[in-house]
Amino acid sequence: MSKAGEDEGVPAGQSPPPPLLEGSAAGAKALSKLSTVSSLPGWTKVSCPCCASEQVEPLVLVMLGEKVGPDTKRWLIKLIGTPKKDGGAGLLAHPGKDATGDIIMVSAQRCTLLRAAEELGLCRTYRSGDMEVFSYGDRDNFKDSGNMEAFLTSAERQFIVKNELDGLRAQKDLRVPGLPDNFTLRNRDNIWRKLESVGVIVNTFPLHNPNKLKNLGEAWYSGYQLIQPLDRVNEYFGSSVAFYFSFLDFYTWSLVPPAMMGLFIAYSSGDDQKEIPEAGSQVGEIQEDSGFVISGHMILAVFSMLWSTVVMEMWKRRSASLSYRWGTLNLAERFAEPRPGYRGELGTNPVTGRVEPLFPEWQRGLRMALVSVPVVGLFLGLVVLGMMCFYWGEARVQKLHTDWDSLLTQTLLYAPSVLHIVYTNMLATVYNTAVQSLTEYENHREESAHQNHLTAKVLVFTFFNYFAVLFHIAFFKRDVPLLRKRLASLLIVSQLVNQTTEIVIPYLVDRYVSSPNRNEKEDGSEEDKFRNQGMMPPFPGLFAEYIELLVQFGYLSLFSCVFPLTAVLLLLNNLTEIRSDAYKICKLFRKPFSPPVGDMGVWQIAFEVLSFVSVVSNCWLLVLSPRLQEKCRRGEMSSTDLLLGAVIVEHLLILVKVIIAALIPDEPNWIRKKKEQWEYKSMQALRQ
Amino acid sequence: MSKAGEDEGVPAGQSPPPPLLEGSAAGAKALSKLSTVSSLPGWTKVSCPCCASEQVEPLVLVMLGEKVGPDTKRWLIKLIGTPKKDGGAGLLAHPGKDATGDIIMVSAQRCTLLRAAEELGLCRTYRSGDMEVFSYGDRDNFKDSGNMEAFLTSAERQFIVKNELDGLRAQKDLRVPGLPDNFTLRNRDNIWRKLESVGVIVNTFPLHNPNKLKNLGEAWYSGYQLIQPLDRVNEYFGSSVAFYFSFLDFYTWSLVPPAMMGLFIAYSSGDDQKEIPEAGSQVGEIQEDSGFVISGHMILAVFSMLWSTVVMEMWKRRSASLSYRWGTLNLAERFAEPRPGYRGELGTNPVTGRVEPLFPEWQRGLRMALVSVPVVGLFLGLVVLGMMCFYWGEARVQKLHTDWDSLLTQTLLYAPSVLHIVYTNMLATVYNTAVQSLTEYENHREESAHQNHLTAKVLVFTFFNYFAVLFHIAFFKRDVPLLRKRLASLLIVSQLVNQTTEIVIPYLVDRYVSSPNRNEKEDGSEEDKFRNQGMMPPFPGLFAEYIELLVQFGYLSLFSCVFPLTAVLLLLNNLTEIRSDAYKICKLFRKPFSPPVGDMGVWQIAFEVLSFVSVVSNCWLLVLSPRLQEKCRRGEMSSTDLLLGAVIVEHLLILVKVIIAALIPDEPNWIRKKKEQWEYKSMQALRQ
């Protein structure tokens, strides 16, 4: 912060161009040091004396529109620097090289960060060495509470800055200097959203720390290390990213038992691979096998069903420990300010007593029941309709081809597939836009609830899209050989495609598209480098990564009994997946903002639901298993008895799964104790 | 309390016989007034000045063994009167008519009650009119905190007294005056338990308040009122009893829709009654019906399956409101002292910091998994074995009878049934003793956990006993007519038997056994009347009442589709059941101690589990329905398709039930808000 700063929060643009960015020219090391240690003037004045510090680290970069004049920029810098009680963001702002440039660097002083940490409900190491819920009043008893870089992770600091900027609201109707007269901010308008909508603010993103990033990358994906540096991922990218990688890690290791079992069964029977190419002559072949193949498959099926429950329960425990470790076990989002997009009548929150928009719960429920559910249902219906049209079209074209057999009809043979793919993609695009508005319309108070509802909607659709064909084959066509063929090809093809898109393309992009950028960086000033980060594509979020895992998990638990090598393929895939995902997030995208979270959110539920659906699907596949079907045909067993047996097995397995899930506590004992301690303490505190 | 009392907590036995019990002779009104307003000397000294009061109401009676000498009695009274910090119970004691009598009356001073209320985590009306968690430090802001009779219910006050007595522990090794030398209390021994085990204390029970009881009875069961005075039941008998009656009430009213539907279906088809007597010629008869009967049954079955989920979800909401109303929404049993029977190494509780016995969680888990579960399983196996022996014996005897046909064989025909009944009863007795020890062995820390585990064990067994035969008929014999006959007879017979045992016998007992007692009361002293209450049988607990409801609910949801009038019969039964249960608890038993509880405990879960099992059972009955079976036999429908259809319907229904259960929030919105407020407040308190 600037000891030789301005007098009254006057924007720094009026001071001479800060020397900060001119002194920097040397190698990467010196550069990165400067980017974190910028104890030079140019920053807005720190509003509270306790936060005086020798250094200000730029956390977030705000990119302004090209036509934004210096007046507007100065006003914005002043707004950012004004204390919160006066309607500002209580942050520190720096205008960059000169007052007319199109960037503002933002940082935060100690007080703002600490208060926000309390508001978020973060836990930190107490004097006693345990994690305790952070309290601003008791800050001196928390370890490192003087040194923000050790106390809060870089992701948390950046998230807090973003949160403060996003939460800025006009205190009264006002005009923004330098903007046309017809643009006014009304009382309680969200300033950031409104400025974004008119193009004053183009972009707000957290800044990378090249040095830290390089070290992290080396520990994460460069070598052959088996263990991911999860704590450092959490420090740099935040807990939501860290949870994804932790789960990926956990899930990959938990694939070892089913993979070994699958290998054993595949090799001891040794004919699974043979069967795939000769799908036509299957029944006869299986007849000649000893009973072993099928019973091996059955064991694998039962095993994988119970395995999935145990894995998810163990993950919950792991997730709770991680969340304790990262201080996000006790987040208080419910009691914080509502998310910026939340709309409603202004009123007093009955719980916190704060004045904020209120929106009745029942109205949200009604909107979900009467609008969201039907719309999502409609889209799912359209998927089914598309699939039916595809099958119908294919049958028609096939018939046409056998009847006429010309070059035209041969080309036509591809038409249904092409049309179906186009249709599906268009549908997905429309759907994704629709659910954005739907979730916005549902008006959730908390950001996490908003995200979870959005994710859930996309999830259902994507999942349906992925599995509709497989379910159709399994439940309507009842064609196990086709299912096996399809599953094998999906697994192999989708993995090849994924590996290509996730490793090869990123590599090429980095090499031929980013490199010129990077060269430019070497010479350019610090500020240019910051600006360059804005040129990278924004991080697309973890949805695609999670859904990939979910679909994998689905293949494995739903259909693995027809193709025992699934787990082996997935294990191999995931070992590279960890590296490619890590590489991607480090190198190819802008750094994402990442809110502190305590678990995987809706993904947890998705995996658990899938694990129960898998019982139904596996038991059905058991009924369809060629050997048992043949037995029925030969009259050795009535098909009713077979079905009855499968139903009984299914009910038993579900019962066992429910019992396993109930018996394995969701939290390790010591975390439960810890939570009880917190509860007891706050009870005691309330009594006094 | 005694203003002219003793000097230093010296037992009152040394004072002249208190005039309290001599002045009382007149009518019931005067009597009952005296029993609550006894501002006369004889009570131990109040240890704290703020509790000085004009009146002491005797709450609990302790009956001593016949051979207990005045020394022991004096010691005990002193112990009860000693403040808690000095190792006593901090209560008030009164020796009764004279120092040598075999009773001690116990009451409590204001401070003790208030502190205990805080410890229990009771909620009370705050100055603002809302319910708040009671805090001793803030007591002046709570309504009625000066008047214990308005502030705490009589059940709560009595429970607190019992809790204090039960919690008495020796502070050091000590001898009890008047007892043989070989009897010593070791340090931290539970005094009350030890004295009970050697017969010094025969009985500890809460005292009835005849006047209040009479008024309550008039409002509860004397007239034709449809609404139970639940708040007054809670006031007098405590929340666990009040929850039972609230549930009985709620459940009875919720029987109206299925009863109406059942009546409609039974009358519009009009042949259900006919079918029962003519079970043999059933199939032909049903053939001639239009499709309506069966589809009516199906509608009823689907309806009752969804109904049961909705009812249980609505009950949860009702239960939460009641618990808010009665101040038991936020009980803090986890943070209170462990229950008296809890054993373990003495250590510091990591949560509360109190010195108390500690017992590791995992060891309890191990005991449950390795001892309790196998033992319970063994007994369930014995039930099944008994049933198999019974069927086997019956078949053998039947055969013998047809072969030989003599008077001997005719008598022998009854042998299997008689033996089976004897066997089942003996098994039940042994089981009940066994689970007592098992649950004690599991060593639960909280009384409620102990009770829930005990109840769950008895519940499983009883339920199995009740339903084993019906399940056997439905799933193995697959004989719907027999099931219907059996169900109808069970419903009618068990209701007749219940009504007899619950109404007629109580009435007779009251008239011919209790009345002499009552006459004696009219003349006797207050003290004799108290002593007479001890002669009444102890209240057997609510297990029998709850299990009756559960079995009803089971008949209704599991098998109702074969006998549509079930709900009607149950509705009629329950309308009288409410009265007979109320009469029983008021008139025929000693008043029970009743801990404050926030819900029905394990019964809630039992009802919910049953409601899911009912889907499986109903869908299976659908498959067995004569019309569909006949269709299969005639080849109009393959039995595989039938089974498949039933399985699909079952899965859909379970899905719908899960969704309904998830969609209906377990607590009304305003209670959720209230809880969040409490949480927010305690979070704020902790931060300061």
Side-chain angles (χ1 to χ4, degrees):
Chain A
M1 89 96 212
S2 67
K3 282 187 177 165
E6 292 71 40
D7 287 321
E8 30 165 318
V10 174
Q14 294 169 344
S15 70
L20 150 72
L21 304 156
E22 279 151 42
S24 63
K29 191 128 185 191
L31 270 170
S32 72
K33 199 172 173 190
L34 264 168
S35 74
T36 56
V37 186
S38 53
S39 64
L40 297 156
W43 289 95
T44 44
K45 204 182 162 192
V46 168
S47 56
C48 104
C50 72
C51 296
S53 131
E54 295 291 311
Q55 312 168 354
V56 177
E57 172 197 30
L59 291 170
V60 168
L61 196 76
V62 179
M63 291 200 84
L64 304 176
E66 285 188 9
K67 292 181 188 160
V68 176
D71 273 2
T72 316
K73 184 172 173 181
R74 218 174 292 131
W75 174 82
L76 205 56
I77 287 177
K78 183 164 180 189
L79 181 75
I80 295 171
T82 307
K84 281 188 84 173
K85 60 178 194 300
D86 302 328
L91 299 169
L92 305 175
H94 190 293
K97 210 165 1 189
D98 56 72
T100 53
D102 62 350
I103 60 166
I104 300 176
M105 288 185 285
V106 186
S107 188
Q109 58 199 31
R110 182 165 164 259
C111 275
T112 311
L113 289 174
L114 288 180
R115 285 199 187 277
E118 183 189 73
E119 172 108 355
L120 285 171
L122 293 177
C123 299
R124 283 298 175 261
T125 317
Y126 201 64
R127 206 169 39 172
S128 66
D130 278 2
M131 294 294 253
E132 298 291 344
V133 183
F134 177 68
S135 136
Y136 184 77
D138 196 23
R139 60 188 175 279
D140 295 336
N141 283 324
F142 282 84
K143 211 183 134 203
D144 289 328
S145 64
N147 175 9
M148 282 305 104
E149 291 186 37
F151 188 71
L152 294 171
T153 69
S154 92
E156 280 160 356
R157 278 172 286 148
Q158 290 171 331
F159 176 77
I160 288 171
V161 168
K162 172 196 174 247
N163 218 16
E164 299 295 347
L165 294 179
D166 265 356
L168 278 174
R169 281 177 188 280
Q171 303 290 82
K172 56 178 190 288
D173 291 8
L174 54 84
R175 273 202 58 240
V176 178
L179 289 192
D181 279 357
N182 56 5
F183 178 86
T184 45
L185 287 165
R186 308 236 161 266
N187 186 17
R188 292 207 55 84
D189 261 0
N190 187 304
I191 297 175
W192 221 251
R193 293 220 156 186
K194 197 117 182 202
L195 291 179
E196 276 174 346
S197 71
V198 294
V200 172
I201 294 165
V202 176
N203 226 327
T204 312
F205 61 89
L207 286 168
H208 265 304
N209 179 327
N211 212 25
K212 268 193 184 172
L213 185 62
K214 194 162 157 262
N215 288 336
L216 177 63
E218 273 165 17
W220 202 5
Y221 57 81
S222 311
Y224 292 95
Q225 59 278 82
L226 284 175
I227 294 161
Q228 296 183 68
L230 294 174
D231 285 341
R232 286 166 67 185
V233 173
N234 174 56
E235 205 287 323
Y236 195 80
F237 283 109
S239 46
S240 51
V241 174
F243 265 112
Y244 166 71
F245 282 99
S246 309
F247 180 68
L248 178 55
D249 188 66
F250 184 85
Y251 167 65
T252 303
W253 287 114
S254 71
L255 279 173
V256 172
M260 276 166 47
M261 201 143 166
L263 267 182
F264 176 75
I265 284 166
Y267 277 89
S268 66
S269 64
D271 46 14
D272 273 283
Q273 287 83 339
K274 270 179 275 159
E275 270 172 48
I276 297 161
E278 307 155 34
S281 60
Q282 207 119 32
V283 176
E285 202 175 317
I286 285 170
Q287 284 307 307
E288 288 145 44
D289 299 343
S290 67
F292 190 74
V293 187
I294 296 300
S295 62
H297 284 204
M298 283 179 196
I299 293 171
L300 186 64
V302 169
F303 174 79
S304 73
M305 282 179 264
L306 299 181
W307 167 87
S308 63
T309 298
V310 174
V311 167
M312 286 319 294
E313 290 300 313
M314 298 309 285
W315 164 249
K316 275 191 222 163
R317 293 169 68 90
R318 168 109 177 110
S319 163
S321 324
L322 288 175
S323 147
Y324 175 77
R325 193 181 171 79
W326 295 337
T328 57
L329 195 57
N330 204 28
L331 294 179
E333 206 183 355
R334 283 167 306 159
F335 303 134
E337 296 238 348
R339 64 187 206 89
Y342 188 64
R343 298 170 311 279
E345 295 269 321
L346 216 60
T348 313
N349 185 317
V351 176
T352 59
R354 236 194 294 251
V355 174
E356 61 181 34
L358 297 179
F359 184 73
E361 201 88 12
W362 61 266
Q363 214 166 323
R364 180 175 312 127
L366 219 60
R367 286 182 179 186
M368 288 203 272
L370 299 184
V371 183
S372 301
V373 171
V375 171
V376 171
L378 177 74
F379 274 94
L380 296 186
L382 287 177
V383 172
V384 174
L385 189 73
M387 199 175 67
M388 280 160 60
C389 287
F390 165 68
Y391 279 115
W392 174 84
E394 207 172 41
R396 288 299 294 263
V397 166
Q398 202 66 256
K399 194 165 170 290
L400 217 66
H401 183 59
T402 41
D403 288 357
W404 295 62
D405 197 6
S406 71
L407 195 69
L408 182 71
T409 56
Q410 198 152 19
T411 325
L412 261 181
L413 274 182
Y414 294 96
S417 299
V418 172
L419 283 176
H420 188 231
I421 290 171
V422 171
Y423 173 79
T424 310
N425 278 326
M426 277 173 53
L427 203 61
T429 315
V430 175
Y431 182 78
N432 283 344
T433 324
V435 292
Q436 290 274 5
S437 332
L438 277 181
T439 315
E440 200 66 54
Y441 177 66
E442 285 169 14
N443 202 16
H444 295 278
R445 189 182 177 281
E446 281 118 45
E447 185 61 36
S448 66
H450 179 84
Q451 286 302 334
N452 281 341
H453 276 89
L454 181 60
T455 306
K457 289 194 191 75
V458 184
L459 175 60
V460 167
F461 183 80
T462 316
F463 193 79
F464 209 77
N465 240 341
Y466 269 103
F467 283 94
V469 174
L470 291 180
F471 273 111
H472 181 260
I473 295 173
F475 289 87
F476 291 90
K477 291 196 165 176
R478 303 185 186 175
D479 186 347
V480 177
L482 181 60
L483 183 65
R484 186 175 301 160
K485 233 171 46 178
R486 191 81 189 225
L487 193 59
S489 63
L490 267 177
L491 277 171
I492 293 163
V493 171
S494 72
Q495 290 194 10
L496 282 181
V497 171
N498 274 333
Q499 297 295 348
T500 319
T501 51
E502 291 190 0
I503 301 184
V504 181
I505 295 183
Y507 179 76
L508 294 179
V509 168
D510 189 47
R511 185 126 190 91
Y512 298 103
V513 184
S514 312
S515 282
N517 253 353
R518 207 186 291 148
N519 291 339
E520 178 195 314
K521 262 188 210 164
E522 296 283 335
D523 319 326
S525 69
E526 182 86 344
E527 191 183 320
D528 286 337
K529 262 163 238 145
F530 287 163
R531 198 178 279 113
N532 277 334
Q533 287 186 28
M535 317 280 273
M536 294 170 105
F539 185 68
L542 292 163
F543 185 87
E545 320 292 338
Y546 269 122
I547 197 92
E548 199 183 323
L549 287 191
L550 187 72
V551 169
Q552 277 193 6
F553 189 77
Y555 288 151
L556 182 60
S557 56
L558 294 173
F559 304 111
S560 79
C561 69
V562 300
F563 185 54
L565 289 181
T566 313
V568 182
L569 289 178
L570 293 184
L571 184 59
L572 291 178
N573 178 65
N574 285 357
L575 286 176
T576 52
E577 177 87 26
I578 292 178
R579 281 169 181 72
S580 61
D581 282 351
Y583 180 73
K584 237 165 53 180
I585 196 173
C586 287
K587 286 291 189 180
L588 303 180
F589 296 106
R590 222 182 280 162
K591 188 174 178 185
F593 283 114
S594 152
V597 294
D599 52 38
M600 294 203 300
V602 79
W603 293 102
Q604 179 81 45
I605 302 166
F607 278 91
E608 283 179 71
V609 168
L610 199 54
S611 126
F612 275 90
V613 174
S614 77
V615 177
V616 181
S617 132
N618 271 306
C619 287
W620 176 247
L621 290 175
L622 183 76
V623 171
L624 291 186
S625 86
R627 203 174 73 105
L628 291 175
Q629 286 292 325
E630 182 58 22
K631 261 196 164 172
C632 289
R633 220 170 308 140
R634 286 189 299 182
E636 289 172 20
M637 189 189 226
S638 94
S639 64
T640 314
D641 284 352
L642 174 59
L643 192 55
L644 203 59
V647 170
I648 292 172
V649 168
E650 187 216 45
H651 282 71
L652 280 181
L653 277 171
I654 289 184
L655 189 67
V656 171
K657 277 170 84 94
V658 169
I659 291 175
I660 290 179
L663 281 189
I664 302 181
D666 287 357
E667 292 169 337
N669 216 9
W670 58 273
I671 290 203
R672 210 175 42 75
K673 277 257 153 63
K674 195 72 217 171
K675 278 189 165 176
E676 276 188 2
Q677 267 178 29
W678 289 341
E679 204 181 322
Y680 183 70
K681 264 188 207 156
S682 57
M683 196 180 80
Q684 295 294 75
L686 186 63
R687 280 182 184 168
Q688 273 149 25
Chain B
M1 94 92 213
S2 66
K3 284 190 173 163
E6 292 70 43
D7 287 322
E8 30 165 314
V10 174
Q14 295 169 343
S15 70
L20 151 71
L21 304 154
E22 278 150 43
S24 62
K29 189 127 189 193
L31 269 169
S32 73
K33 198 173 176 191
L34 263 167
S35 73
T36 56
V37 185
S38 52
S39 64
L40 297 156
W43 290 97
T44 44
K45 204 184 162 190
V46 169
S47 55
C48 102
C50 73
C51 296
S53 132
E54 295 290 310
Q55 313 167 353
V56 177
E57 172 197 30
L59 290 170
V60 168
L61 195 77
V62 179
M63 291 201 85
L64 304 176
E66 285 189 10
K67 293 182 188 158
V68 176
D71 273 2
T72 315
K73 185 173 173 180
R74 218 173 293 132
W75 174 82
L76 206 55
I77 286 176
K78 183 166 179 188
L79 181 75
I80 294 171
T82 307
K84 281 189 83 173
K85 62 178 193 300
D86 302 328
L91 299 170
L92 304 175
H94 189 293
K97 210 166 2 190
D98 55 71
T100 53
D102 62 350
I103 60 165
I104 300 175
M105 289 184 285
V106 186
S107 188
Q109 60 200 30
R110 182 165 164 261
C111 275
T112 311
L113 290 175
L114 288 180
R115 285 198 186 278
E118 182 188 72
E119 171 109 357
L120 286 170
L122 294 176
C123 299
R124 283 298 174 262
T125 317
Y126 201 65
R127 209 169 35 173
S128 66
D130 278 3
M131 294 295 252
E132 298 291 344
V133 183
F134 177 69
S135 137
Y136 184 77
D138 196 22
R139 61 188 174 281
D140 295 335
N141 283 324
F142 282 84
K143 209 184 136 206
D144 287 328
S145 64
N147 175 8
M148 283 304 103
E149 290 185 37
F151 189 71
L152 294 170
T153 70
S154 93
E156 280 161 357
R157 277 172 287 148
Q158 289 171 331
F159 176 77
I160 288 172
V161 168
K162 174 196 173 247
N163 217 15
E164 299 295 347
L165 295 178
D166 265 356
L168 278 174
R169 284 179 185 277
Q171 302 292 79
K172 55 178 193 284
D173 290 8
L174 54 83
R175 274 203 57 241
V176 178
L179 290 190
D181 280 357
N182 54 7
F183 179 84
T184 45
L185 288 165
R186 308 237 160 266
N187 185 17
R188 293 209 54 85
D189 262 0
N190 186 304
I191 297 175
W192 220 251
R193 292 219 157 187
K194 198 118 182 202
L195 292 180
E196 276 174 346
S197 71
V198 294
V200 171
I201 294 165
V202 177
N203 226 327
T204 312
F205 61 89
L207 286 167
H208 264 306
N209 180 326
N211 213 24
K212 268 194 184 171
L213 186 62
K214 196 162 156 263
N215 289 336
L216 177 63
E218 273 164 17
W220 202 3
Y221 58 80
S222 309
Y224 292 97
Q225 59 278 85
L226 284 174
I227 293 162
Q228 297 183 66
L230 294 174
D231 285 341
R232 285 165 68 184
V233 173
N234 174 56
E235 205 286 325
Y236 194 81
F237 283 109
S239 47
S240 51
V241 173
F243 265 111
Y244 165 72
F245 282 98
S246 309
F247 180 68
L248 178 54
D249 189 66
F250 184 85
Y251 168 64
T252 302
W253 286 114
S254 70
L255 279 173
V256 171
M260 275 166 47
M261 198 143 170
L263 267 182
F264 176 75
I265 283 166
Y267 278 89
S268 65
S269 63
D271 47 14
D272 274 284
Q273 287 84 338
K274 269 180 275 157
E275 272 173 45
I276 298 159
E278 307 156 33
S281 60
Q282 207 120 35
V283 176
E285 201 176 319
I286 287 169
Q287 283 309 307
E288 288 145 44
D289 299 341
S290 67
F292 191 74
V293 187
I294 296 298
S295 61
H297 283 203
M298 283 179 197
I299 294 171
L300 187 63
V302 170
F303 174 78
S304 73
M305 282 179 264
L306 300 182
W307 167 86
S308 63
T309 298
V310 173
V311 166
M312 287 319 294
E313 290 300 312
M314 298 308 285
W315 164 248
K316 276 191 221 162
R317 294 168 68 88
R318 168 110 176 109
S319 165
S321 323
L322 287 174
S323 146
Y324 175 77
R325 193 180 170 81
W326 296 337
T328 57
L329 195 57
N330 204 28
L331 294 179
E333 206 183 355
R334 282 167 307 159
F335 303 136
E337 296 240 346
R339 64 187 205 89
Y342 188 64
R343 298 171 311 279
E345 296 267 324
L346 216 60
T348 312
N349 185 316
V351 176
T352 59
R354 235 195 297 251
V355 173
E356 61 180 36
L358 297 179
F359 184 74
E361 201 88 12
W362 61 267
Q363 214 166 324
R364 180 174 312 125
L366 219 59
R367 287 182 178 185
M368 289 204 272
L370 299 184
V371 183
S372 301
V373 171
V375 171
V376 171
L378 177 74
F379 275 93
L380 295 185
L382 287 177
V383 171
V384 174
L385 190 73
M387 198 175 68
M388 279 160 60
C389 287
F390 164 69
Y391 280 115
W392 175 83
E394 207 172 43
R396 288 299 294 261
V397 165
Q398 202 67 260
K399 194 163 170 290
L400 216 66
H401 183 59
T402 41
D403 289 356
W404 295 62
D405 197 7
S406 70
L407 195 69
L408 182 70
T409 54
Q410 199 153 18
T411 326
L412 262 182
L413 275 182
Y414 295 97
S417 299
V418 172
L419 283 177
H420 188 231
I421 291 171
V422 171
Y423 173 79
T424 309
N425 279 326
M426 276 172 52
L427 202 62
T429 315
V430 175
Y431 182 79
N432 283 344
T433 325
V435 292
Q436 290 274 5
S437 333
L438 278 181
T439 315
E440 200 66 55
Y441 177 66
E442 286 169 14
N443 201 16
H444 295 278
R445 189 181 178 281
E446 283 119 44
E447 186 61 35
S448 66
H450 179 82
Q451 287 301 335
N452 281 342
H453 276 89
L454 182 60
T455 306
K457 289 193 191 74
V458 184
L459 175 61
V460 167
F461 183 79
T462 316
F463 193 79
F464 210 76
N465 241 339
Y466 268 102
F467 283 93
V469 174
L470 291 180
F471 273 111
H472 182 260
I473 296 173
F475 288 88
F476 290 91
K477 290 197 166 180
R478 304 183 186 178
D479 186 346
V480 177
L482 181 61
L483 181 66
R484 186 175 302 161
K485 233 170 47 176
R486 191 81 188 225
L487 193 59
S489 64
L490 266 177
L491 276 171
I492 292 163
V493 171
S494 72
Q495 289 195 10
L496 282 180
V497 171
N498 274 334
Q499 296 295 348
T500 318
T501 51
E502 291 190 0
I503 300 184
V504 181
I505 296 185
Y507 178 76
L508 293 178
V509 168
D510 189 46
R511 186 128 189 89
Y512 298 103
V513 186
S514 312
S515 280
N517 253 351
R518 206 186 292 150
N519 290 340
E520 179 196 312
K521 263 188 209 165
E522 295 283 334
D523 318 328
S525 69
E526 182 86 344
E527 190 181 321
D528 286 338
K529 262 163 238 148
F530 287 163
R531 197 178 279 115
N532 276 334
Q533 287 187 26
M535 316 282 273
M536 294 170 107
F539 185 68
L542 292 163
F543 185 86
E545 320 291 340
Y546 268 123
I547 196 92
E548 199 183 325
L549 287 191
L550 187 71
V551 168
Q552 277 193 6
F553 188 78
Y555 288 152
L556 181 60
S557 55
L558 294 173
F559 303 112
S560 78
C561 69
V562 300
F563 186 54
L565 289 181
T566 312
V568 182
L569 288 177
L570 294 183
L571 184 58
L572 291 177
N573 178 66
N574 285 358
L575 286 176
T576 53
E577 178 87 26
I578 292 178
R579 281 169 181 72
S580 61
D581 282 351
Y583 180 74
K584 238 165 54 181
I585 196 171
C586 286
K587 286 290 190 177
L588 303 179
F589 297 107
R590 224 182 279 162
K591 187 174 178 185
F593 282 114
S594 151
V597 294
D599 52 38
M600 294 204 300
V602 79
W603 293 103
Q604 179 81 45
I605 302 165
F607 278 89
E608 284 179 70
V609 168
L610 198 54
S611 126
F612 275 89
V613 174
S614 77
V615 178
V616 181
S617 133
N618 272 307
C619 287
W620 176 246
L621 290 175
L622 182 76
V623 171
L624 292 185
S625 86
R627 202 173 74 106
L628 291 176
Q629 285 292 324
E630 182 59 22
K631 260 197 167 173
C632 289
R633 219 169 309 137
R634 287 189 297 181
E636 288 172 22
M637 189 190 227
S638 94
S639 64
T640 313
D641 284 352
L642 174 60
L643 193 56
L644 203 58
V647 170
I648 292 171
V649 168
E650 187 217 44
H651 283 70
L652 279 181
L653 277 172
I654 288 185
L655 189 67
V656 170
K657 278 170 83 92
V658 168
I659 292 175
I660 290 179
L663 281 189
I664 302 181
D666 287 358
E667 292 169 339
N669 216 10
W670 58 274
I671 289 203
R672 211 175 42 74
K673 277 256 152 65
K674 194 72 217 171
K675 278 189 165 176
E676 275 187 2
Q677 268 177 29
W678 289 341
E679 205 181 321
Y680 182 70
K681 265 189 206 155
S682 58
M683 197 180 81
Q684 295 295 77
L686 187 64
R687 281 182 183 168
Q688 273 147 24

